[in-house]
């Protein structure tokens, strides 16, 4: 049945992207950030093809890898893009299904179709993909890397991870959990926590391999651009936030309001803040590296610079991989309602501020806060249920509490 | 002293009792939950009651006067006006010619030829724009005429529109002509070109028809294409339009100037513009200002007090208070009617979607004392005020509710009423959600029943909800086809089909004890979803949110399944009536469809895709076992 469901989904997805829906979505700030916008990509490609360094202006912030991809193998036309992004979605959904199978250690299961549907029909993933935001490509790479890690093909996983790191620097926090995943296996051990079982001996080799891939990609980028001018415009943008175009994340408003002399300090705080989650989550969930990876994907969705809707979206779709924890969630209805509110308020306040002009930036900022609360609630609840499951069902007369 | 010390110790003991901290925390949490749980019905009732009473009290909530201006640059009423009797004479001459056109039953073309010629005679760049709308009800066409006076002082990157539609808004465009409005525009165009004060281009637009002409003109001006409109491109354009003043002068003379300000889809213009107009009209023009076309009870000829029998001794203060409430209340209801349905209250309504502040000054027909002399002066001074602006009006002044021309409510004094109702619904939904997750189990051997959790059929319920909205979308598609829209029977048929479909739910098997019933989970999610919609809409269109709160609040909270099928069907019928009764009112439906197809008013899709499905979900709750 998965094949049938998958065919229907891919066909309808292709049909949807062949309509003019893209024209309405491509400009939307919530679906593509300055780092992932397809329009910026097209402009960069145009400049590049005409012999102008696209990184000399302040607009193009995509990786040089996109430049080489779209000027050699593919053309940046809309028809091409609609096929490519559909392909990305299909690969992403398939990877998610295969991660599920690897975790359950089965060849196929009745849940496969549901997981594929939850990936394809998640509006947070579908809409950015229809807007040709390159965040969909990053998501696919992330899922590919996790899938290969689950299936034990280390080199493929590390190569995908190196690509991902190259395209989106914030994903650096996934290095540790994916390495842990490569050292262990993806089966669910949430109910039986125990110290780390894998062997550390392979770790240096894996990291070295990752560094090698990453180095090659960096070298390739430098050759493509004939210099290092791309570094401050791509990786640098993630760290220094030069473009304050609104997005559904938490960074932009904070830095529009900030006095310039505080900027470097808070940029450092915001960037380091992302890193501090890695150690505690990886230590706590050392027995189930896939769950740790999943939680860190959630952290990215809430806190990364220049997020689009697809960053929290991938976290939400990945929840479908862990049905065993559902019974232990504390407030799933509150999380869902928060997400419902955020999903209605984000476009509404965006419209009030930027189209109708009757509201101001604070309106949209307020709705991004609701959105962050929703994502935070989902993340916190997943952390809770992931740990709570180990204690098992409550016995009469006893209560489980956190000290 | 000892007593005090003892009290402090007791207090300390209470706040931080001895024993295991965790146990105390658990006990405290359990106690708190129990307290909230126990009082939840009361809390819900209180929220509903306060919310609805607040809505009822909207007309008499202490309000701020509309005297204060937010934007200081407007400087209303501080100029010497030059409009005088010579200009009134010009207007009278134009009026004679327009009346001749009317008496000869002139076509749109002849009228437009005349208007363009007159504008050109004044030395203005003038042009005409033919348009044709095609809807399921047939086509309607006309020709707009417009002229542009380029700003003598600046490059003309901004513009102000002064407009009049050929049909007056009297009776929402019942065919009364706006001849004096049009002649005011012509005379005004002749007048303003003599002065070099203008820092913005002035665009004079005389649109054909009531609303459709201006819609075609504005779409063409902003380069927006609408598939069912064939309109010529504008030969002349100017800069960004900031402000538009629309004149509606249907009678011979007028006694008051009425403000109409509601835009399409619940948009409102910046209140500073209305406040400036009110001040100018009172000060410079000497014309009293009212909201809409109803006189203040103090000015009205017959009053509420006269209706009462003389022998009942009611103090006059009470009579006055009731009169005031009635008058303000009627204004609020009228505002809600325009805003909730999203139809706007005049030609100005079309401007707001392009971020233009606009309103209509409506010359209330009367035997006197005002005429061209007053309206010209008010228009001149208002235009000078709009001309003063260096930047757009401030963003914080778009959320208000006018109870009459002199008083307005700030957002904080009306928004909570709808939000409270939505919170009450949310609490109801959450309570049901928790209840659905628990059941008393008797399977244990110990005898005493204990509470155990049970799964909730969420996926099933979400599928039901999604399919009702899909049925709503199909309904929307159906009533927009020409056969259904043109026949009252077609609409009734659509309503019957939509209300017959959920009857499948009757055949659903009852759920077992170990799983929550679909009915209760559906009701819970239905309440939560409706509540979310109400709070989200509240910011965009308060009147719509409040109407939804009134229409859905209590009914959705009362839906429940029943043992006997006939009772279930009876309950379901009530919800069908609430959800689809509007389809039986054919003239209303045609107006709504016309508004959607020509002007893009969202009310029709909202009703079909959001409102009716929400009610139908409550109906399905009653049908399910």
């Amino acid at each position: 049945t998965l094949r049938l469901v998958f065919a229907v989904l891919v066909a309808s997805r292709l049909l949807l992207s062949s309509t003019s829906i893209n024209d309405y979505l491509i400009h939307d700030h919530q679906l593509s950030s300055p780092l992932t916008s397809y329009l910026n990509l097209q402009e960069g490609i145009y400049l590049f093809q005409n012999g102008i360094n696209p990184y000399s202006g302040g607009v193009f912030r995509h990786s040089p890898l996109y430049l080489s991809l779209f000027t050699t193998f593919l053309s940046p036309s809309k028809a091409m893009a609609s096929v490519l992004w559909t392909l990305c979605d299909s690969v992403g959904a398939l990877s998610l299904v295969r991660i599920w199978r690897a975790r359950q250690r089965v060849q196929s299961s009745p849940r496969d179709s549901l997981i594929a549907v939850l990936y394809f029909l998640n509006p947070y993933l579908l809409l950015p993909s229809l807007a040709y935001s390159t965040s969909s490509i990053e998501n696919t790479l992330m899922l590919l890397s996790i899938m290969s890690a689950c299936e034990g093909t280390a080199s493929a996983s590390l190569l995908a991870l190196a690509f991902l790191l190259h395209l989106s620097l914030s994903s650096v926090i996934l290095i540790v959990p994916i390495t842990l995943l490569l050292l262990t296996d993806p089966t669910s051990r949430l109910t039986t926590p125990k110290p780390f079982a894998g062997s550390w001996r392979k770790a240096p080799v894996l990291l070295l391999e990752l560094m090698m891939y990453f180095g090659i990609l960096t070298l390739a980028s430098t050759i493509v651009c004939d210099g290092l001018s791309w570094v401050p415009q791509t990786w640098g943008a993630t760290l220094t936030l030069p473009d304050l175009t609104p997005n559904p994340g938490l960074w932009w408003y904070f830095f529009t309001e900030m006095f310039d002399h505080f900027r470097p300090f808070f940029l450092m705080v915001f960037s380091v803040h992302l890193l501090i989650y890695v150690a505690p989550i990886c230590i706590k969930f050392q027995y189930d590296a896939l769950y740790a990876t999943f939680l860190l994907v959630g952290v990215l969705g809430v806190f990364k610079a220049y997020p689009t809707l697809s960053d929290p979206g991938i976290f939400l779709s990945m929840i479908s991989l862990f049905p065993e924890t559902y019974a232990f969630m504390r407030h799933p209805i509150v999380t869902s309602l928060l997400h419902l509110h955020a999903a209605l308020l984000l476009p509404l306040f965006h419209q009030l501020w930027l189209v109708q002009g009757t509201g101001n930036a604070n309106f949209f900022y307020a709705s991004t806060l609701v959105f962050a609360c929703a994502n935070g609630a989902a993340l916190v609840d997943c952390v809770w249920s992931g740990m709570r499951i180990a204690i098992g069902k409550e016995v009469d007369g006893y209560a489980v509490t956190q000290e | 002293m000892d007593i005090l010390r003892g009290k402090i110790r007791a207090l300390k003991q209470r706040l931080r009792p001895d024993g295991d901290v965790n146990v105390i925390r658990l006990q405290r949490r359990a106690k708190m939950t129990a307290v909230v749980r126990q009082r939840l019905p009361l809390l819900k009732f209180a929220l509903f009651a306060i919310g609805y009473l607040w809505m009822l009290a909207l007309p008499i909530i202490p309000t701020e006067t509309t005297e204060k201006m937010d934007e200081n640059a407007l400087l209303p009423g501080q100029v010497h006006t030059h409009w005088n009797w010579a200009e009134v004479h010009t207007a009278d001459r134009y009026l004679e010619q327009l009346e001749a056109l009317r008496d000869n039953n002139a076509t749109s073309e002849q009228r437009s030829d005349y208007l363009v010629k007159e504008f050109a005679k004044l030395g203005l760049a003038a042009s005409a724009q033919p348009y044709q709308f095609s809807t399921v009800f047939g086509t309607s066409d006309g020709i707009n005429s417009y002229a542009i006076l380029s700003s003598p002082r600046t490059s003309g990157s901004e513009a102000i529109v002064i407009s009049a539609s050929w049909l007056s808004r009297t009776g929402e465009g019942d065919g009364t002509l706006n001849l004096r409005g049009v002649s005011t525009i012509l005379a005004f165009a002749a007048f303003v070109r003599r002065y070099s004060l203008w820092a913005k281009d002035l665009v004079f637009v005389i649109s054909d028809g009531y609303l459709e002409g201006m819609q075609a003109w504005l779409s063409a001006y902003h380069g927006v294409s609408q598939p069912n409109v064939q309109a010529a491109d504008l030969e002349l354009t100017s800069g960004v339009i900031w402000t538009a003043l629309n004149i509606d002068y249907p009678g011979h003379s007028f006694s008051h100037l009425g403000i109409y300000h509601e835009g399409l889809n619940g948009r409102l213009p910046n209140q500073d513009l209305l406040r400036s107009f009110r001040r100018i009209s009172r000060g410079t023009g000497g014309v009293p200002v009212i909201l809409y076309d109803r006189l203040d009870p103090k000015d009205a000829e017959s009053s509420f007090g006269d209706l009462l029998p003389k022998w009942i001794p009611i103090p006059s203060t009470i009579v006055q208070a009731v009169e005031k409430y009635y008058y303000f209340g009627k204004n609020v209801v009228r505002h809600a009617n325009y805003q909730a349905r999203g139809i706007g209250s005049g030609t100005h309504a079309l401007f707001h979607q392009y971020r233009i502040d606009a309103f209509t000054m409506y010359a209330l027909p009367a035997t006197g004392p005002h005429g061209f002399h007053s309206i010209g002066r008010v228009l001149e001074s208002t235009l000078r005020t709009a001309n003063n602006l260096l930047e757009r009006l401030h963003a914080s002044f778009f959320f208000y509710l006018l109870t009459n021309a002199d008083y307005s409510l700030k957002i904080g004094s009306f928004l909570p009423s709808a939000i409270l109702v939505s919170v009450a619904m949310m609490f109801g939904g959450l309570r049901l959600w928790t209840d659905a997750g628990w059941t008393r189990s008797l399977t244990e051997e110990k005898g005493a029943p204990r509470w155990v959790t049970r799964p909730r059929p969420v996926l099933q319920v979400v599928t039901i909800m999604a399919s009702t909205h899909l049925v709503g979308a199909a309904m929307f598609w159906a009533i927009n086809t020409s056969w259904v829209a043109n026949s009252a029977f077609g609409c009734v048929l659509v309503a019957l089909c939509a209300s017959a479909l959920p009857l499948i739910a009757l055949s659903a098997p009852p759920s077992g004890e170990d799983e929550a019933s679909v009915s209760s989970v559906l009701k819970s999610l239905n309440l939560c979803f409706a509540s979310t919609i109400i709070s989200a809409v509240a910011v965009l269109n308060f009147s719509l949110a409040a109407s939804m709160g009134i229409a859905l609040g209590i009914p959705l909270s009362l839906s429940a399944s029943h043992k006997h099928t006939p009772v279930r069907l009876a309950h379901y019928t009530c919800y069908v009536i609430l959800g689809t009764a509007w389809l039986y009112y054919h003239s209303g439906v045609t107006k709504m469809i016309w508004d959607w197809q020509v002007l893009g008013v969202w009310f029709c899709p909202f009703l079909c895709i959001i409102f009716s499905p929400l009610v139908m979900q409550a109906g399905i709750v009653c049908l399910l076992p």
Side-chain angles (χ1 to χ4, degrees):
Chain A
T1 52
L2 177 69
R3 280 198 189 147
L4 182 69
V5 171
F6 213 77
V8 171
L9 285 172
V10 172
S12 40
R13 171 69 182 71
L14 208 55
L15 205 68
L16 201 60
S17 63
S18 65
T19 59
S20 61
I21 190 165
N22 172 264
D23 301 339
Y24 298 101
L25 301 176
I26 198 160
H27 296 278
D28 201 302
H29 293 139
Q30 299 150 70
L31 308 181
S32 38
S33 72
L35 268 60
T36 66
S37 156
Y38 187 68
L39 290 173
N40 291 1
L41 180 62
Q42 276 180 320
E43 181 165 336
I45 291 165
Y46 179 81
L47 292 174
F48 185 66
Q49 282 173 335
N50 286 279
I52 303 166
N53 180 6
Y55 296 102
S56 57
V59 177
F60 185 64
R61 300 184 189 284
H62 287 72
S63 161
L65 297 180
Y66 285 121
L67 280 184
S68 41
L69 177 73
F70 281 102
T71 45
T72 51
F73 299 113
L74 308 170
S75 64
S77 69
K78 287 220 164 172
M80 187 73 229
S82 86
V83 173
L84 182 67
W85 262 263
T86 308
L87 192 72
C88 268
D89 275 2
S90 319
V91 173
L94 205 61
S95 311
L96 201 63
V97 171
R98 281 175 65 173
I99 295 171
W100 160 254
R101 286 174 178 169
R103 185 171 173 82
Q104 301 299 318
R105 282 200 258 196
V106 290
Q107 287 303 311
S108 70
S109 76
R111 204 179 155 80
D112 290 353
S113 318
L114 182 68
I115 290 175
V117 168
L118 284 177
Y119 185 90
F120 263 104
L121 297 187
N122 182 346
Y124 291 162
L125 293 177
L126 179 65
L127 293 173
S129 172
L130 287 172
Y132 304 153
S133 165
T134 54
S135 55
S136 304
I137 299 181
E138 288 155 25
N139 275 346
T140 308
L141 282 171
M142 183 200 287
L143 287 176
L144 274 176
S145 169
I146 298 174
M147 179 197 81
S148 314
C150 288
E151 294 179 349
T153 45
S155 299
S157 169
L158 292 175
L159 185 62
L161 186 59
F163 269 108
L164 175 64
L165 282 181
H166 202 86
L167 301 184
S168 138
L169 194 65
S170 315
S171 314
V172 73
I173 68 169
L174 296 177
I175 293 179
V176 180
I178 289 182
T179 315
L180 288 183
L181 193 54
L182 280 168
L183 295 176
T184 55
D185 63 279
T187 42
S188 178
R189 291 205 197 78
L190 287 172
T191 45
T192 52
K194 58 180 190 306
F196 186 69
S199 104
W200 287 105
R201 273 192 308 133
K202 269 166 65 190
V205 183
L206 292 175
L207 288 178
L208 214 65
E209 194 179 344
L210 178 66
M211 297 248 294
M212 192 186 75
Y213 291 141
F214 191 69
I216 292 172
L217 289 177
T218 310
L219 194 67
S221 305
T222 312
I223 293 169
V224 167
C225 290
D226 203 12
L228 284 169
S229 58
W230 59 277
V231 176
Q233 293 292 321
T234 55
W235 296 343
T238 316
L239 298 172
T240 58
L241 212 76
D243 192 327
L244 292 172
T245 310
N247 59 48
L250 291 171
W251 290 49
W252 66 274
Y253 188 85
F254 199 75
F255 285 95
T256 50
E257 293 290 306
M258 186 168 312
F259 290 121
D260 271 351
H261 44 276
F262 292 128
R263 240 182 106 94
F265 172 70
F266 278 102
L267 281 171
M268 188 272 288
V269 170
F270 270 57
S271 303
V272 171
H273 168 247
L274 267 178
L275 296 175
I276 63 172
Y277 291 94
V278 179
I281 287 181
C282 289
I283 293 171
K284 188 74 211 174
F285 289 99
Q286 50 186 290
Y287 48 90
D288 197 331
L290 184 59
Y291 205 74
T293 318
F294 158 69
L295 291 178
L296 285 170
V297 171
V299 170
L300 276 185
V302 191
F303 294 118
K304 79 180 247 190
Y306 296 114
T308 61
L309 288 187
S310 57
D311 291 296
I314 187 73
F315 173 69
L316 294 181
S317 279
M318 279 177 83
I319 293 182
S320 62
L321 296 176
F322 309 98
E324 67 269 26
T325 63
Y326 295 172
F328 297 94
M329 287 189 171
R330 271 208 292 200
H331 44 70
I333 182 88
V334 178
T335 312
S336 329
L337 286 171
L338 274 172
H339 263 295
L340 186 62
H341 275 90
L344 288 174
L345 290 179
L346 274 173
L348 209 137
F349 283 173
H350 187 261
Q351 162 94 6
L352 277 188
W353 171 29
L354 290 163
V355 181
Q356 219 161 301
T358 52
N360 55 28
N362 298 319
F363 282 60
F364 185 61
Y365 173 58
S367 65
T368 62
L369 285 186
V370 176
F371 191 54
C373 285
N375 289 318
L379 183 62
V380 167
D381 213 9
C382 286
V383 174
W384 166 268
S385 59
M387 294 198 279
R388 175 65 184 73
I389 187 173
I391 301 168
K393 282 216 163 118
E394 245 170 56
V395 183
D396 261 356
Y398 290 87
V400 179
T401 184
Q402 197 182 355
E403 271 199 327
Chain B
M1 201 61 193
D2 276 348
I3 302 168
L4 193 68
R5 205 167 288 152
K7 284 238 161 117
I8 291 172
R9 201 173 303 132
L11 192 70
K12 245 186 183 171
Q13 181 69 28
R14 225 185 130 150
L15 287 178
R16 216 182 250 175
D18 304 325
D20 190 342
V21 206
N22 291 315
V23 173
I24 292 163
R25 209 174 62 202
L26 277 175
Q27 283 169 341
R28 198 176 278 161
R29 193 190 292 161
K31 210 191 259 171
M32 243 156 62
T33 327
V35 165
V36 173
R37 241 187 119 67
Q38 238 170 23
R39 291 177 177 68
L40 197 58
L42 186 73
L43 183 65
K44 240 174 68 184
F45 175 77
L47 284 171
F48 270 128
I50 297 173
Y52 289 134
L53 285 177
W54 196 323
M55 283 179 199
L56 278 181
L58 282 180
I60 45 164
I61 289 176
T63 47
E64 60 170 0
T65 65
T66 50
E67 199 54 53
K68 190 185 147 288
M69 309 293 299
D70 194 52
E71 171 60 87
N72 292 321
L74 282 170
L75 299 170
Q78 299 193 11
V79 290
H80 177 75
T81 52
H82 300 283
W83 176 276
N84 220 318
W85 293 108
E87 284 73 37
V88 174
H89 180 74
T90 322
D92 280 330
R93 295 286 79 73
Y94 280 126
L95 180 63
E96 279 168 16
Q97 297 174 34
L98 287 171
E99 280 173 338
L101 281 173
R102 176 197 62 190
D103 296 336
N104 298 334
N105 284 327
T107 60
S108 282
E109 207 157 36
Q110 287 165 319
R111 287 199 311 252
S112 160
D113 281 347
Y114 165 74
L115 292 168
V116 170
K117 208 173 71 205
E118 289 302 320
F119 277 130
K121 269 190 206 163
L122 298 173
L124 300 176
S127 177
Q129 182 215 17
Y131 63 86
Q132 186 179 49
F133 280 93
S134 48
T135 64
V136 289
F137 307 110
T139 59
S140 62
D141 46 16
I143 304 174
N144 296 317
S145 320
Y146 64 100
I148 293 176
L149 170 68
S150 296
S151 157
R153 309 192 108 185
T154 57
S155 60
S157 48
E158 291 113 27
I160 300 175
V161 165
I162 301 149
S163 65
S165 51
W166 183 252
L167 294 181
S168 158
R169 71 157 312 288
T170 314
E172 313 294 334
D174 61 0
T176 315
L177 298 184
N178 184 18
L179 292 184
R180 280 182 170 74
V182 175
S183 34
T184 308
I185 302 258
L186 284 168
F188 199 72
F191 165 70
V192 289
R193 54 173 285 278
R194 302 209 302 262
Y195 297 92
S196 59
L197 309 152
W198 312 113
K200 318 232 185 301
D201 281 2
L202 302 182
V203 185
F204 303 94
V205 185
I206 291 162
S207 59
D208 212 349
Y210 172 43
L211 294 174
E212 59 272 29
M214 189 54 88
Q215 170 77 5
W217 190 83
L218 279 170
S219 304
Y221 193 93
H222 294 94
V224 178
S225 63
Q226 204 174 324
N228 59 346
V229 183
Q230 285 185 312
D233 287 342
L234 299 184
E235 287 167 10
L236 311 166
T237 52
S238 168
V240 182
I241 304 172
W242 276 12
T243 319
L245 309 170
N246 187 49
I247 295 158
D248 204 324
Y249 184 1
H252 174 271
S253 306
F254 64 96
S255 57
H256 295 71
L257 282 174
I259 295 176
Y260 283 87
H261 61 294
E262 291 88 355
L264 294 186
N265 295 324
R267 298 187 182 96
L268 297 175
N270 196 296
Q271 206 193 338
D272 261 341
L273 185 66
L274 308 180
R275 290 186 175 192
S276 325
F277 165 69
R278 170 181 168 274
R279 194 187 284 185
I280 288 165
S281 179
R282 295 238 168 110
T284 309
V287 188
V289 176
I290 50 171
L291 188 62
Y292 311 126
D293 54 4
R294 283 188 58 252
L295 294 184
D296 196 276
K298 281 177 285 193
D299 299 335
E301 280 166 12
S302 69
S303 77
F304 176 72
D306 301 337
L307 297 173
L308 295 170
K310 288 281 177 285
W311 47 270
I312 305 177
I314 300 173
S316 64
T317 46
I318 292 184
V319 174
Q320 274 167 16
V322 172
E323 246 169 18
K324 191 177 156 204
Y325 179 80
Y326 181 70
Y327 170 67
F328 280 28
K330 268 211 140 174
N331 281 339
V332 171
V333 169
R334 189 149 174 192
H335 169 74
N337 185 28
Y338 288 130
Q339 206 190 16
R341 285 160 63 201
I343 50 174
S345 53
T347 317
H348 64 276
L350 305 159
F351 285 90
H352 302 152
Q353 57 191 317
Y354 300 106
R355 224 183 145 175
I356 303 165
D357 292 311
F359 71 100
T360 294
M361 41 183 106
Y362 179 74
L364 184 71
T367 44
H370 299 290
F372 282 133
H373 188 253
S374 313
I375 204 166
R377 283 174 54 156
V378 172
L379 185 61
E380 182 192 351
S381 190
T382 313
L383 191 65
R384 290 283 298 274
T385 284
N387 188 47
N388 280 338
L389 278 182
L390 294 176
E391 49 186 300
R392 280 183 187 275
L393 288 168
H394 191 256
S396 68
F397 230 36
F398 287 96
F399 301 95
Y400 56 88
L401 196 156
L402 290 181
T403 45
N404 81 352
D406 299 343
Y407 296 102
S408 76
L409 265 68
K410 284 185 192 164
I411 186 163
S413 52
F414 61 84
L415 195 72
S417 57
I419 300 291
L420 285 176
V421 171
S422 110
V423 170
M425 292 166 75
M426 180 64 83
F427 280 4
L430 289 178
R431 167 82 195 246
L432 278 166
W433 172 263
T434 344
D435 287 353
W438 293 88
T439 184
R440 266 179 185 282
S441 148
L442 284 166
T443 50
E444 295 288 305
E445 286 164 14
K446 288 170 194 164
R450 55 187 206 98
W451 287 104
V452 289
T453 52
R454 57 177 176 182
R456 309 176 182 91
V458 178
L459 210 58
Q460 235 171 311
V461 167
V462 171
T463 317
I464 293 177
M465 289 172 74
S467 36
T468 55
H469 290 284
L470 280 181
V471 169
M475 198 161 90
F476 174 62
W477 171 82
I479 64 170
N480 270 289
T481 55
S482 83
W483 180 75
V484 177
N486 282 307
S487 79
F489 174 68
C491 286
V492 172
L493 200 67
V494 168
L496 288 178
C497 287
S499 41
L501 264 179
L503 290 173
I504 313 165
L506 273 178
S507 62
S511 58
E513 259 305 293
D514 51 346
E515 198 181 33
S517 72
V518 177
S519 163
S520 63
V521 177
L522 177 60
K523 181 177 174 183
S524 143
L525 293 189
N526 174 230
L527 277 170
C528 289
F529 189 45
S531 151
T532 310
I533 299 259
I534 291 175
S535 18
V537 167
V539 203
L540 198 65
N541 187 339
F542 169 73
S543 306
L544 183 59
S547 321
M548 292 259 293
I550 293 166
L552 299 180
I554 302 284
L556 294 200
S557 304
L558 289 181
S559 67
S561 183
H562 198 273
K563 267 181 282 181
H564 305 294
T565 311
V567 183
R568 279 196 217 164
L569 280 174
H571 285 171
Y572 178 66
T573 315
C574 296
Y575 286 103
V576 165
I577 291 171
L578 177 63
T580 57
W582 55 273
L583 273 168
Y584 296 85
Y585 174 52
H586 189 242
S587 64
V589 174
T590 45
K591 166 108 175 60
M592 217 157 65
I593 294 171
W594 188 88
D595 281 343
W596 161 249
Q597 296 193 345
V598 175
L599 310 176
V601 173
W602 293 342
F603 190 59
C604 182
F606 184 85
L607 218 49
C608 292
I609 303 175
I610 308 283
F611 176 80
S612 292
L614 281 175
V615 181
M616 295 318 269
Q617 284 161 24
I620 296 174
V621 169
C622 299
L623 285 181
L624 283 168

